[in-house]
């Protein structure tokens, strides 16, 4: 089969576009989509980008493409942040891939540990039954919030203009559908709108238009080595079930993931929403109450150990 773009030997059939593609055109197409998502507002001189890097395929592919895109941009800086939640075996393996990747790509790396920052590893939080005490259902609900908080903290410290997160198209769809199903209107809106606050580093999601399986293909053809085992806590997550449902839908109707995202972005345009953003009295992180979620949890954990 020939590539529909250049006529060379194709290696991949893209079902949603009904095109056969060769390796070179595939790479170019993925990088073009990342460029489109970022735009000239972000790809510019003197910009500093923090990259949340986990060792999985998404964040490493994202870092690889960002490195390529910013290579010739004068005075643009990239710095990687790796959050070590303290998940036995899993995070040590991830760290190995991240350190190796950053070394090979000459990227600055900062390691941030849950243990140093909040006094506990995620394993300790789970093992000591603290999630129940904090009224949190799943480890991911705790882990995700604390990780986002710490990434912001260090991106601020490093004076980054943006914080890049490796969410691919599938991640977007899962979040959108989860919030629809739960009727979580506030989250639906917040997910799509940017927080404008000097204590909040604007997030960018360069892989927004790349389906997960194409991130994997991009990693493989570029020989990017990454951690393949899933987090031991991920299989019990609700997100995992939603992922399976979207997979079935995509198989029956190729391109449905792009429709979910497009429909959601259309919807956002019709929603007028202004939230009164306050600053956490303890750490100044933007939040809707007096104290942010992380500080609240830390206070409760402190009381539990008195
Ligand atoms: Fe944390 Fe859940 Fe991700 Fe594991 S799967 S790293 S617990 S958010
Ligand atoms: Zn081609
Ligand atoms: Zn706080």
């Amino acid at each position: 089969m020939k590539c529909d773009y250049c006529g060379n030997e194709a290696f991949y059939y893209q079902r949603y576009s009904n095109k056969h593609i060769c390796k070179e055109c595939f790479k170019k197409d993925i990088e073009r989509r990342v460029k489109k998502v970022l735009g000239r507002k972000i790809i510019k001189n003197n910009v500093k980008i923090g990259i949340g890097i986990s060792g999985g395929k998404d964040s490493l592919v994202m870092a690889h493409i960002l490195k390529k895109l910013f290579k010739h941009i004068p005075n643009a800086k990239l710095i990687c942040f790796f959050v070590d939640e303290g998940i036995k075996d899993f995070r040590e393996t991830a760290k190995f891939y991240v350190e190796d990747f950053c070394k090979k790509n000459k990227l600055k790396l900062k390691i941030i540990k849950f243990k140093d920052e909040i006094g506990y590893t995620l394993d300790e939080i789970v093992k000591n039954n603290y999630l129940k005490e904090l009224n949190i259902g799943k480890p991911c609900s705790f882990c995700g919030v604390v990780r986002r908080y710490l990434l912001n903290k260090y991106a601020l410290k490093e004076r980054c203009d943006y914080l890049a997160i490796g969410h691919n198209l599938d991640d977007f769809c899962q979040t959108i559908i989860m919030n629809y199903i739960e009727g979580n209107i506030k989250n639906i809106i917040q997910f799509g709108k940017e927080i404008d606050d000097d204590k909040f580093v604007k997030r960018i999601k360069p892989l927004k238009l790349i389906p997960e399986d194409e991130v994997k293909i991009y990693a493989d053809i570029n020989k990017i080595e990454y951690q393949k085992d899933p987090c031991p806590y991920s299989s019990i997550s609700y997100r995992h079930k939603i992922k399976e449902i979207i997979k079935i839908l995509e198989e029956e109707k190729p391109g449905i993931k792009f429709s979910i995202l497009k429909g959601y972005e259309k919807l956002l345009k019709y929603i007028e929403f202004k939230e009164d953003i306050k600053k956490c009295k303890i750490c100044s992180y933007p939040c809707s109450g007096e104290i942010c979620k992380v500080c609240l949890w830390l206070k409760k954990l402190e009381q539990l150990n008195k």
Side-chain angles (χ1 to χ4, degrees):
M1 217 32 107
K2 299 281 174 223
C3 171
D4 283 311
Y5 295 105
C6 73
N8 283 339
E9 196 61 37
F11 87 112
Y12 172 60
Y13 172 60
Q14 198 172 50
R15 278 186 80 209
Y16 60 81
S17 69
N18 192 24
K19 285 195 163 51
H20 292 88
I21 312 179
C22 75
K23 281 188 185 170
E24 273 317 301
C25 291
F26 177 82
K27 272 198 233 177
K28 274 188 207 153
D29 181 43
I30 297 288
E31 288 157 16
R32 182 191 54 79
R33 277 188 251 171
V34 171
K35 215 168 160 180
K36 185 179 159 193
V37 169
L38 299 180
R40 286 207 198 124
K41 211 178 125 209
I42 295 167
I43 308 177
K44 62 175 183 203
N45 300 357
N46 304 315
V47 75
K48 183 166 184 181
I49 302 201
I51 306 174
I53 202 166
S54 69
K57 63 183 181 322
D58 299 303
S59 60
L60 294 186
V61 162
M62 172 176 74
H64 175 95
I65 299 176
L66 289 180
K67 170 97 202 209
K68 214 166 165 180
L69 288 183
F70 284 92
K71 205 163 134 193
H72 302 295
I73 306 291
N75 208 23
K77 291 192 185 82
L78 302 176
I79 175 167
C80 297
F81 300 115
F82 172 76
V83 179
D84 178 356
E85 302 92 348
I87 303 169
K88 203 176 169 335
D89 299 332
F90 173 70
R91 267 298 166 236
E92 282 101 57
T93 312
K95 198 162 146 243
F96 166 80
Y97 285 106
V98 165
E99 285 178 331
D100 184 56
F101 175 87
C102 289
K103 205 169 147 201
K104 278 184 191 153
N105 289 279
K106 297 190 177 65
L107 281 162
K108 203 173 156 194
L109 172 66
K110 168 84 198 148
I111 295 174
I112 307 157
K113 293 185 173 185
F114 266 32
K115 185 81 181 172
D116 297 340
E117 298 288 332
I118 64 166
Y120 301 95
T121 63
L122 184 64
D123 284 343
E124 285 167 352
I125 294 280
V126 175
K127 211 164 67 195
N128 294 339
N129 237 348
Y130 288 153
L131 291 177
K132 207 171 158 222
E133 302 281 354
L134 297 174
N135 219 358
I136 299 170
K138 301 264 159 68
C140 292
S141 312
F142 180 84
C143 178
V145 171
V146 177
R147 187 153 33 90
R148 276 196 295 278
Y149 177 90
L150 294 176
L151 283 172
N152 186 69
K153 180 178 163 181
Y154 279 88
L156 260 183
K157 241 185 191 175
E158 288 288 338
R159 296 174 184 273
C160 295
D161 299 297
Y162 298 99
L163 177 60
I165 306 290
H167 286 171
N168 59 44
L169 177 65
D170 293 51
D171 298 322
F172 268 83
C173 293
Q174 289 153 23
T175 305
I176 293 165
I177 298 291
M178 275 162 71
N179 285 325
Y180 280 154
I181 291 175
E182 289 172 348
N184 219 334
I185 306 299
K186 207 171 155 191
N187 279 9
I188 291 176
I189 302 163
Q190 278 173 342
F191 177 63
K193 305 245 175 191
E194 278 182 358
I195 298 176
D196 196 9
D197 191 285
D198 59 348
K199 289 284 176 201
F200 189 83
V201 180
K202 282 199 177 65
R203 302 216 173 109
I204 52 172
K205 292 161 183 172
L207 303 183
K208 183 171 92 167
L209 300 179
I210 324 286
E212 186 178 4
D213 47 1
E214 294 191 355
V215 175
K216 187 179 175 308
I217 297 171
Y218 185 93
D220 291 343
I221 57 180
N222 284 283
K223 299 194 170 39
I224 298 170
E225 290 186 54
Y226 59 89
Q227 184 178 37
K228 296 189 178 67
D229 311 319
C231 167
Y233 298 117
S234 68
S235 59
I236 51 173
S237 77
Y238 177 47
R239 179 176 285 273
H240 193 78
K241 287 184 194 134
I242 299 291
K243 184 178 179 169
E244 292 302 308
I245 294 168
I246 296 174
K247 200 169 147 193
I248 296 168
L249 294 175
E250 180 71 29
E251 263 159 31
E252 282 178 15
K253 202 168 180 285
I256 203 150
K257 291 178 201 166
F258 287 100
S259 314
I260 293 172
L261 179 68
K262 247 195 226 159
Y264 168 69
E265 290 186 334
K266 262 191 217 161
L267 179 74
L268 272 187
K269 286 187 190 152
Y270 290 98
I271 302 173
E272 279 289 327
F273 178 77
K274 272 215 162 31
E275 197 185 5
D276 186 19
I277 301 279
K278 295 183 185 132
K279 283 204 198 303
C280 170
K281 280 188 171 160
I282 299 173
C283 73
S284 307
Y285 188 66
C287 58
S288 49
E290 299 293 310
I291 297 177
C292 79
K293 236 182 202 175
V294 174
C295 288
L296 211 68
W297 288 343
L298 293 184
K299 269 177 87 126
K300 277 193 188 168
L301 286 174
E302 216 180 279
Q303 279 161 7
L304 283 172
N305 284 299
K306 265 186 185 166

